[in-house]
Short mmCIF file of all heavy atoms in Angstrom, two decimals:
data_model
loop_
_atom_site.label_atom_id
_atom_site.label_comp_id
_atom_site.label_asym_id
_atom_site.label_seq_id
_atom_site.Cartn_x
_atom_site.Cartn_y
_atom_site.Cartn_z
N LEU V 775 -19.62 -54.60 31.20
CA LEU V 775 -18.19 -54.82 31.01
C LEU V 775 -17.66 -53.90 29.91
O LEU V 775 -16.68 -53.18 30.08
CB LEU V 775 -17.96 -56.29 30.62
CG LEU V 775 -16.50 -56.62 30.32
CD1 LEU V 775 -15.71 -56.74 31.61
CD2 LEU V 775 -16.39 -57.85 29.47
N TRP V 779 -15.09 -50.73 29.99
CA TRP V 779 -13.93 -50.64 29.12
C TRP V 779 -13.84 -49.27 28.47
O TRP V 779 -12.78 -48.68 28.34
CB TRP V 779 -13.99 -51.72 28.02
CG TRP V 779 -13.31 -52.96 28.44
CD1 TRP V 779 -13.91 -54.14 28.82
CD2 TRP V 779 -11.91 -53.15 28.58
NE1 TRP V 779 -12.96 -55.04 29.16
CE2 TRP V 779 -11.71 -54.46 29.03
CE3 TRP V 779 -10.80 -52.34 28.37
CZ2 TRP V 779 -10.47 -54.98 29.27
CZ3 TRP V 779 -9.54 -52.86 28.60
CH2 TRP V 779 -9.39 -54.17 29.06
N ALA V 783 -10.96 -46.75 28.81
CA ALA V 783 -10.28 -46.24 27.62
C ALA V 783 -10.20 -44.73 27.66
O ALA V 783 -9.17 -44.13 27.35
CB ALA V 783 -11.02 -46.69 26.36
N ILE V 786 -7.60 -43.64 30.02
CA ILE V 786 -6.28 -43.82 29.43
C ILE V 786 -5.99 -42.72 28.43
O ILE V 786 -4.92 -42.11 28.42
CB ILE V 786 -6.20 -45.20 28.71
CG1 ILE V 786 -6.24 -46.31 29.76
CG2 ILE V 786 -4.96 -45.28 27.85
CD1 ILE V 786 -6.42 -47.66 29.13
N LEU V 787 -7.01 -42.47 27.61
CA LEU V 787 -6.85 -41.50 26.54
C LEU V 787 -6.51 -40.12 27.09
O LEU V 787 -5.61 -39.44 26.61
CB LEU V 787 -8.15 -41.41 25.73
CG LEU V 787 -8.04 -40.50 24.54
CD1 LEU V 787 -7.51 -41.28 23.36
CD2 LEU V 787 -9.36 -39.86 24.24
N ARG V 791 -3.30 -37.84 26.38
CA ARG V 791 -3.31 -36.49 25.80
C ARG V 791 -2.45 -35.53 26.62
O ARG V 791 -1.70 -34.75 26.08
CB ARG V 791 -4.73 -35.94 25.70
CG ARG V 791 -5.50 -36.52 24.54
CD ARG V 791 -6.85 -35.89 24.44
NE ARG V 791 -6.72 -34.46 24.15
CZ ARG V 791 -6.55 -33.96 22.92
NH1 ARG V 791 -6.51 -34.79 21.89
NH2 ARG V 791 -6.46 -32.68 22.73
N GLY V 837 -8.52 -17.01 22.60
CA GLY V 837 -9.87 -17.58 22.66
C GLY V 837 -9.93 -18.87 23.46
O GLY V 837 -11.01 -19.28 23.89
N GLU V 887 -19.08 9.29 25.87
CA GLU V 887 -18.82 8.71 24.56
C GLU V 887 -17.53 9.30 24.04
O GLU V 887 -17.28 10.49 24.23
CB GLU V 887 -19.92 9.14 23.57
CG GLU V 887 -21.18 8.36 23.70
CD GLU V 887 -22.23 8.90 22.74
OE1 GLU V 887 -21.85 9.57 21.76
OE2 GLU V 887 -23.40 8.66 22.99
N GLY V 919 -10.74 14.36 -10.07
CA GLY V 919 -11.05 15.70 -9.56
C GLY V 919 -11.05 15.84 -8.05
O GLY V 919 -11.35 16.90 -7.53
N ARG V 938 -14.58 22.11 2.35
CA ARG V 938 -14.58 23.50 1.90
C ARG V 938 -14.21 23.71 0.44
O ARG V 938 -14.63 24.69 -0.16
CB ARG V 938 -13.56 24.31 2.73
CG ARG V 938 -13.77 24.33 4.22
CD ARG V 938 -14.86 25.32 4.58
NE ARG V 938 -14.87 25.68 5.99
CZ ARG V 938 -15.30 24.88 6.96
NH1 ARG V 938 -15.73 23.65 6.67
NH2 ARG V 938 -15.32 25.30 8.21
N GLU V 939 -13.37 22.83 -0.12
CA GLU V 939 -12.80 23.13 -1.42
C GLU V 939 -13.89 23.44 -2.45
O GLU V 939 -13.81 24.40 -3.20
CB GLU V 939 -11.94 21.95 -1.92
CG GLU V 939 -11.21 22.28 -3.20
CD GLU V 939 -10.47 21.09 -3.81
OE1 GLU V 939 -10.81 19.93 -3.49
OE2 GLU V 939 -9.57 21.31 -4.61
N SER V 941 -17.56 23.84 -1.86
CA SER V 941 -18.70 23.90 -0.94
C SER V 941 -19.97 23.44 -1.65
O SER V 941 -20.23 23.83 -2.77
CB SER V 941 -18.92 25.34 -0.47
OG SER V 941 -18.02 25.62 0.56
N ARG V 943 -20.68 20.51 -2.75
CA ARG V 943 -20.63 19.33 -3.61
C ARG V 943 -20.39 18.05 -2.82
O ARG V 943 -21.14 17.09 -2.91
CB ARG V 943 -19.55 19.47 -4.68
CG ARG V 943 -19.40 18.19 -5.50
CD ARG V 943 -18.68 18.37 -6.81
NE ARG V 943 -18.40 17.06 -7.43
CZ ARG V 943 -19.22 16.43 -8.24
NH1 ARG V 943 -20.41 16.92 -8.51
NH2 ARG V 943 -18.88 15.26 -8.76
N LEU V 947 -24.49 18.47 5.01
CA LEU V 947 -24.79 18.18 6.42
C LEU V 947 -26.29 18.09 6.67
O LEU V 947 -26.72 17.54 7.68
CB LEU V 947 -24.17 19.24 7.32
CG LEU V 947 -22.65 19.40 7.18
CD1 LEU V 947 -22.13 20.45 8.13
CD2 LEU V 947 -21.95 18.06 7.43
N ASN V 952 -27.04 10.99 2.06
CA ASN V 952 -27.11 10.98 0.60
C ASN V 952 -26.15 11.95 -0.06
O ASN V 952 -26.34 12.33 -1.20
CB ASN V 952 -28.53 11.28 0.14
CG ASN V 952 -29.47 10.18 0.54
OD1 ASN V 952 -29.32 9.05 0.10
ND2 ASN V 952 -30.39 10.48 1.43
N LEU V 954 -22.54 13.32 -1.67
CA LEU V 954 -21.67 12.71 -2.66
C LEU V 954 -20.60 11.81 -2.02
O LEU V 954 -20.37 10.70 -2.46
CB LEU V 954 -21.00 13.81 -3.49
CG LEU V 954 -20.19 13.29 -4.67
CD1 LEU V 954 -21.10 12.79 -5.77
CD2 LEU V 954 -19.28 14.38 -5.21
N GLU V 962 -23.19 4.00 -4.26
CA GLU V 962 -24.57 4.37 -4.60
C GLU V 962 -24.64 5.07 -5.95
O GLU V 962 -25.60 4.92 -6.69
CB GLU V 962 -25.10 5.29 -3.50
CG GLU V 962 -26.60 5.46 -3.47
CD GLU V 962 -27.28 4.21 -2.94
OE1 GLU V 962 -26.81 3.65 -1.94
OE2 GLU V 962 -28.28 3.82 -3.56
N PRO V 964 -22.07 5.99 -9.53
CA PRO V 964 -20.87 5.43 -10.16
C PRO V 964 -19.60 5.97 -9.51
O PRO V 964 -19.49 7.17 -9.27
CB PRO V 964 -20.98 5.90 -11.61
CG PRO V 964 -22.44 6.11 -11.82
CD PRO V 964 -22.99 6.57 -10.52
N PRO V 976 -19.38 -0.50 10.66
CA PRO V 976 -18.98 0.51 11.63
C PRO V 976 -18.29 1.69 10.96
O PRO V 976 -18.43 2.82 11.41
CB PRO V 976 -18.00 -0.23 12.55
CG PRO V 976 -17.87 -1.59 12.05
CD PRO V 976 -18.77 -1.81 10.90
N ARG V 979 -20.99 4.03 9.91
CA ARG V 979 -21.61 4.73 11.04
C ARG V 979 -20.69 5.81 11.59
O ARG V 979 -21.11 6.90 11.95
CB ARG V 979 -21.99 3.73 12.13
CG ARG V 979 -23.07 2.77 11.65
CD ARG V 979 -23.69 2.01 12.80
NE ARG V 979 -22.86 0.94 13.30
CZ ARG V 979 -22.84 -0.29 12.81
NH1 ARG V 979 -23.59 -0.60 11.78
NH2 ARG V 979 -22.06 -1.20 13.32
N ALA V 986 -23.03 14.02 10.73
CA ALA V 986 -24.23 14.49 11.41
C ALA V 986 -23.87 15.43 12.55
O ALA V 986 -24.67 16.29 12.93
CB ALA V 986 -25.03 13.30 11.92
N GLN V 987 -22.67 15.28 13.09
CA GLN V 987 -22.27 16.17 14.18
C GLN V 987 -21.61 17.44 13.64
O GLN V 987 -21.05 18.22 14.40
CB GLN V 987 -21.33 15.44 15.15
CG GLN V 987 -22.10 14.43 16.00
CD GLN V 987 -21.22 13.59 16.88
OE1 GLN V 987 -20.02 13.48 16.64
NE2 GLN V 987 -21.82 12.95 17.88
N ARG S 235 -35.55 12.09 2.08
CA ARG S 235 -34.44 11.23 1.73
C ARG S 235 -34.81 10.28 0.61
O ARG S 235 -34.07 10.07 -0.33
CB ARG S 235 -34.00 10.44 2.96
CG ARG S 235 -32.72 9.68 2.67
CD ARG S 235 -32.54 8.51 3.57
NE ARG S 235 -31.68 7.56 2.89
CZ ARG S 235 -31.49 6.33 3.28
NH1 ARG S 235 -32.08 5.91 4.37
NH2 ARG S 235 -30.71 5.54 2.62
N LYS S 277 -26.55 3.97 -13.82
CA LYS S 277 -25.72 3.80 -12.65
C LYS S 277 -24.45 3.02 -12.96
O LYS S 277 -23.39 3.27 -12.39
CB LYS S 277 -26.53 3.07 -11.58
CG LYS S 277 -25.84 2.95 -10.24
CD LYS S 277 -26.82 2.55 -9.18
CE LYS S 277 -26.11 2.20 -7.89
NZ LYS S 277 -27.07 1.83 -6.86
N THR S 281 -21.39 6.25 -17.17
CA THR S 281 -20.21 7.06 -16.87
C THR S 281 -19.19 6.98 -18.01
O THR S 281 -18.53 7.95 -18.33
CB THR S 281 -19.55 6.58 -15.56
OG1 THR S 281 -20.58 6.38 -14.61
CG2 THR S 281 -18.57 7.60 -15.04
N ARG S 403 -29.68 20.19 9.71
CA ARG S 403 -28.78 21.14 10.34
C ARG S 403 -28.24 22.06 9.25
O ARG S 403 -28.35 21.75 8.06
CB ARG S 403 -27.64 20.46 11.08
CG ARG S 403 -26.60 19.79 10.18
CD ARG S 403 -25.49 19.16 10.97
NE ARG S 403 -24.85 20.14 11.82
CZ ARG S 403 -24.33 19.85 13.02
NH1 ARG S 403 -24.39 18.62 13.48
NH2 ARG S 403 -23.75 20.77 13.74
N THR S 405 -25.93 23.74 6.59
CA THR S 405 -24.86 23.18 5.79
C THR S 405 -24.46 24.20 4.76
O THR S 405 -25.19 25.19 4.54
CB THR S 405 -25.32 21.87 5.11
OG1 THR S 405 -24.21 21.27 4.47
CG2 THR S 405 -26.42 22.10 4.10
N ASP S 492 -23.52 13.94 -14.23
CA ASP S 492 -23.03 14.41 -12.93
C ASP S 492 -23.70 15.74 -12.64
O ASP S 492 -24.39 16.30 -13.51
CB ASP S 492 -21.50 14.54 -12.95
CG ASP S 492 -20.89 14.47 -11.55
OD1 ASP S 492 -21.61 14.76 -10.57
OD2 ASP S 492 -19.70 14.13 -11.43
N ARG S 553 -11.68 24.64 -13.60
CA ARG S 553 -11.00 24.52 -12.32
C ARG S 553 -9.49 24.58 -12.46
O ARG S 553 -8.77 24.73 -11.49
CB ARG S 553 -11.40 23.14 -11.75
CG ARG S 553 -11.37 23.05 -10.26
CD ARG S 553 -11.86 21.66 -9.90
NE ARG S 553 -11.22 21.18 -8.71
CZ ARG S 553 -11.30 19.94 -8.28
NH1 ARG S 553 -12.02 19.05 -8.94
NH2 ARG S 553 -10.69 19.58 -7.18
N ARG S 579 -13.71 30.97 -10.67
CA ARG S 579 -15.00 30.74 -10.04
C ARG S 579 -16.12 31.54 -10.66
O ARG S 579 -17.27 31.13 -10.61
CB ARG S 579 -14.90 31.08 -8.55
CG ARG S 579 -14.05 30.12 -7.77
CD ARG S 579 -14.77 28.82 -7.68
NE ARG S 579 -14.06 27.90 -6.80
CZ ARG S 579 -14.69 27.06 -5.99
NH1 ARG S 579 -15.99 27.02 -5.96
NH2 ARG S 579 -14.00 26.25 -5.23
N ARG S 636 -11.50 32.61 0.34
CA ARG S 636 -11.20 31.54 1.28
C ARG S 636 -10.96 32.04 2.71
O ARG S 636 -11.26 31.36 3.66
CB ARG S 636 -9.95 30.79 0.83
CG ARG S 636 -10.10 30.04 -0.49
CD ARG S 636 -10.46 28.61 -0.25
NE ARG S 636 -10.54 27.86 -1.49
CZ ARG S 636 -11.53 27.01 -1.77
NH1 ARG S 636 -12.51 26.82 -0.91
NH2 ARG S 636 -11.54 26.35 -2.90
N GLU S 657 -15.50 32.67 8.61
CA GLU S 657 -15.52 31.51 7.71
C GLU S 657 -15.28 31.93 6.27
O GLU S 657 -15.50 33.09 5.90
CB GLU S 657 -16.89 30.83 7.82
CG GLU S 657 -16.93 29.65 8.77
CD GLU S 657 -16.04 28.50 8.34
OE1 GLU S 657 -15.84 28.32 7.12
OE2 GLU S 657 -15.55 27.77 9.23
N GLN S 658 -14.90 30.97 5.48
CA GLN S 658 -14.78 31.15 4.05
C GLN S 658 -16.13 31.59 3.47
O GLN S 658 -17.17 31.05 3.83
CB GLN S 658 -14.32 29.80 3.47
CG GLN S 658 -14.81 29.44 2.12
CD GLN S 658 -14.26 28.07 1.70
OE1 GLN S 658 -13.17 27.66 2.07
NE2 GLN S 658 -15.03 27.35 0.92
N ASP S 660 -18.58 31.67 0.46
CA ASP S 660 -18.77 30.95 -0.79
C ASP S 660 -19.53 31.77 -1.84
O ASP S 660 -19.30 31.61 -3.02
CB ASP S 660 -19.56 29.65 -0.53
CG ASP S 660 -18.73 28.61 0.18
OD1 ASP S 660 -17.51 28.60 -0.05
OD2 ASP S 660 -19.29 27.82 0.96
N LYS S 711 -26.25 5.58 16.53
CA LYS S 711 -25.54 5.16 17.73
C LYS S 711 -26.15 3.92 18.35
O LYS S 711 -25.50 3.23 19.13
CB LYS S 711 -25.51 6.30 18.74
CG LYS S 711 -24.53 7.39 18.33
CD LYS S 711 -24.54 8.51 19.33
CE LYS S 711 -23.57 9.60 18.91
NZ LYS S 711 -23.70 10.77 19.75
N GLU S 714 -24.00 -0.71 17.17
CA GLU S 714 -22.64 -0.72 17.74
C GLU S 714 -21.71 0.08 16.83
O GLU S 714 -21.70 -0.11 15.62
CB GLU S 714 -22.18 -2.18 17.80
CG GLU S 714 -20.88 -2.37 18.50
CD GLU S 714 -21.03 -2.22 19.99
OE1 GLU S 714 -21.86 -2.94 20.56
OE2 GLU S 714 -20.32 -1.39 20.56
N ILE S 715 -20.96 0.98 17.42
CA ILE S 715 -20.07 1.78 16.58
C ILE S 715 -18.88 0.96 16.11
O ILE S 715 -18.37 1.12 15.03
CB ILE S 715 -19.55 2.99 17.35
CG1 ILE S 715 -20.74 3.78 17.83
CG2 ILE S 715 -18.60 3.80 16.50
CD1 ILE S 715 -20.68 5.22 17.62
N GLU S 736 -10.94 -37.82 17.66
CA GLU S 736 -9.82 -38.59 18.18
C GLU S 736 -10.29 -39.57 19.24
O GLU S 736 -9.91 -40.74 19.23
CB GLU S 736 -8.79 -37.63 18.79
CG GLU S 736 -7.67 -37.28 17.87
CD GLU S 736 -6.72 -36.30 18.52
OE1 GLU S 736 -6.13 -36.65 19.56
OE2 GLU S 736 -6.56 -35.18 18.00
N LEU S 737 -11.14 -39.05 20.13
CA LEU S 737 -11.69 -39.90 21.20
C LEU S 737 -12.42 -41.10 20.62
O LEU S 737 -12.22 -42.24 21.04
CB LEU S 737 -12.65 -39.09 22.06
CG LEU S 737 -12.06 -38.48 23.33
CD1 LEU S 737 -13.04 -37.49 23.92
CD2 LEU S 737 -11.75 -39.58 24.34
N THR S 740 -10.10 -43.70 19.24
CA THR S 740 -9.44 -44.48 20.29
C THR S 740 -10.42 -45.46 20.92
O THR S 740 -10.07 -46.62 21.20
CB THR S 740 -8.90 -43.55 21.37
OG1 THR S 740 -8.33 -42.42 20.73
CG2 THR S 740 -7.88 -44.23 22.22
N LEU S 744 -10.04 -49.45 21.16
CA LEU S 744 -10.09 -50.13 22.44
C LEU S 744 -11.22 -51.15 22.51
O LEU S 744 -11.05 -52.24 23.04
CB LEU S 744 -10.21 -49.11 23.57
CG LEU S 744 -8.88 -48.41 23.90
CD1 LEU S 744 -9.12 -47.23 24.82
CD2 LEU S 744 -7.90 -49.38 24.53
N VAL S 748 -11.21 -55.01 23.34
CA VAL S 748 -12.07 -55.61 24.36
C VAL S 748 -12.76 -56.84 23.81
O VAL S 748 -12.77 -57.92 24.41
CB VAL S 748 -13.11 -54.59 24.86
CG1 VAL S 748 -14.17 -55.26 25.71
CG2 VAL S 748 -12.42 -53.48 25.64
N GLU S 752 -12.40 -60.59 25.02
CA GLU S 752 -13.57 -61.36 25.44
C GLU S 752 -13.65 -62.68 24.69
O GLU S 752 -13.90 -63.74 25.26
CB GLU S 752 -14.85 -60.53 25.20
CG GLU S 752 -15.07 -59.52 26.33
CD GLU S 752 -16.28 -58.64 26.10
OE1 GLU S 752 -16.81 -58.63 24.95
OE2 GLU S 752 -16.67 -57.94 27.03
N SER S 813 -2.73 -52.24 27.18
CA SER S 813 -3.85 -51.28 27.14
C SER S 813 -3.72 -50.30 28.29
O SER S 813 -3.93 -49.10 28.14
CB SER S 813 -5.19 -52.00 27.25
OG SER S 813 -5.31 -52.93 26.22
N GLN S 816 -1.26 -47.79 27.66
CA GLN S 816 -1.74 -46.78 26.74
C GLN S 816 -2.68 -45.82 27.44
O GLN S 816 -2.87 -44.71 27.03
CB GLN S 816 -2.47 -47.42 25.56
CG GLN S 816 -1.49 -47.90 24.52
CD GLN S 816 -2.17 -48.44 23.29
OE1 GLN S 816 -3.38 -48.31 23.15
NE2 GLN S 816 -1.43 -49.09 22.43
#
Side-chain angles (χ1 to χ4, degrees):
Chain V
L775 177 77
W779 270 106
I786 291 169
L787 184 87
R791 282 183 64 83
E887 281 177 21
R938 302 281 196 286
E939 186 187 21
S941 280
R943 175 162 171 88
L947 302 181
N952 293 297
L954 187 73
E962 196 73 44
R979 295 194 284 274
Q987 287 174 341
Chain S
R235 188 203 155 192
K277 186 165 171 180
T281 315
R403 70 179 303 147
T405 187
D492 203 337
R553 207 177 147 190
R579 291 290 187 143
R636 294 265 183 225
E657 264 296 330
Q658 147 180 329
D660 287 329
K711 286 179 180 172
E714 187 74 55
I715 303 227
E736 263 178 61
L737 264 169
T740 319
L744 282 169
V748 169
E752 279 177 347
S813 302
Q816 278 184 9

